[in-house]
Amino acid sequence: MYEPAHAWFRVIVRPSMMPFTLVAGLFASADAAAQEYAARQVDGWTVAASKDKGGCFMTRTYEGAGATTLLLGLDVDGSNRLSVLNGNWSIKPKDRWQLSFRLSDGGYANHPVVGMASDGKKGFVTNFEAKFPAYFAASRALHIYRGDVPVEQLSLDGSGAAVAELRRCVDVFRTKAATGAREERRSDRIPKDPFAPDAKRSSRD
């Protein structure tokens, strides 16, 4: 639950966690996904389709110690996940922590995260409520803390345009999934030979 800036240190309701392994597929798009949505650069962010074509992600790598990578993924069902990785961090995969996230106009206090590793970097992944991408898009910066210890302070310049493109990418796969579901439902009702004497709507012979 998003807390306004004036009250963001209050304890919030914690969302359920997504297993850290599910985010791994976001870091590389398969050829099949790329054929339906080609990765592109938008105001300093890379927007691309996820490997399983279940959604899309936007990512950016920052200069500085450990070259922090920030990634926001969005699925066709509206769920999201945020991952942050750095080459200097010692957090281990599957480690569980509680971190506080502060955006321009609010944030999430004592929010659960799960450790992960990818491309030689270590970090964490977490998920938020459905409105999080909108808050992310409207923010100028993301600050992350472990208690009183600053974890990272990242500029979100260009995030508005990148999130808009992220949603367009997801719409490509959402439309495809809906079309596929309609076609499957239709084919389930059609028998192999509708002119056979014993033809039935549910026949699969």
Side-chain angles (χ1 to χ4, degrees):
M1 182 181 298
Y2 189 71
E3 293 290 346
H6 66 274
W8 86 284
F9 280 107
R10 293 186 314 194
V11 177
I12 63 170
V13 178
R14 303 185 183 99
S16 59
M17 289 300 300
M18 173 176 290
F20 80 101
T21 53
L22 294 185
V23 82
L26 291 172
F27 284 90
S29 294
D31 290 340
Q35 291 174 6
E36 294 172 88
Y37 181 89
R40 60 202 66 184
Q41 299 294 315
V42 181
D43 283 3
W45 299 81
T46 298
V47 180
S50 58
K51 186 176 181 180
D52 62 2
K53 297 189 290 184
C56 302
F57 66 93
M58 54 184 282
T59 185
R60 182 176 184 177
T61 297
Y62 297 80
E63 296 181 357
T68 295
T69 296
L70 172 64
L71 183 148
L72 174 63
L74 183 63
D75 288 343
V76 295
D77 63 2
S79 61
N80 63 75
R81 85 254 342 125
L82 180 78
S83 61
V84 184
L85 301 106
N86 184 284
N88 293 335
W89 293 353
S90 60
I91 184 173
K92 298 178 181 178
K94 298 186 180 182
D95 276 358
R96 293 182 177 271
W97 294 81
Q98 289 188 358
L99 303 178
S100 293
F101 297 79
R102 187 170 189 175
L103 296 167
S104 296
D105 295 317
Y108 302 80
N110 302 320
H111 190 82
V113 305
V114 177
M116 62 171 290
S118 178
D119 295 334
K121 297 181 181 180
K122 296 179 180 179
F124 57 83
V125 59
T126 187
N127 59 334
F128 296 93
E129 61 189 302
K131 292 183 178 180
F132 177 76
Y135 301 144
F136 189 92
S139 294
R140 299 179 299 277
L142 171 65
H143 292 188
I144 307 170
Y145 299 88
R146 179 175 64 85
D148 295 330
V149 178
V151 173
E152 188 55 281
Q153 297 181 353
L154 303 171
S155 167
L156 297 185
D157 288 347
S159 60
V163 169
E165 183 60 37
L166 176 67
R167 294 188 188 280
R168 283 191 284 270
C169 176
V170 171
D171 284 343
V172 171
F173 296 99
R174 182 180 290 118
T175 300
K176 182 176 177 60
T179 300
R182 287 195 298 270
E183 291 176 349
E184 182 177 354
R185 287 195 298 272
R186 179 178 180 276
S187 64
D188 286 344
R189 296 195 302 269
I190 301 175
K192 181 178 180 180
D193 181 6
F195 298 100
D198 60 347
K200 296 181 181 180
R201 185 175 65 178
S202 60
S203 172
R204 305 289 271 176
D205 297 333

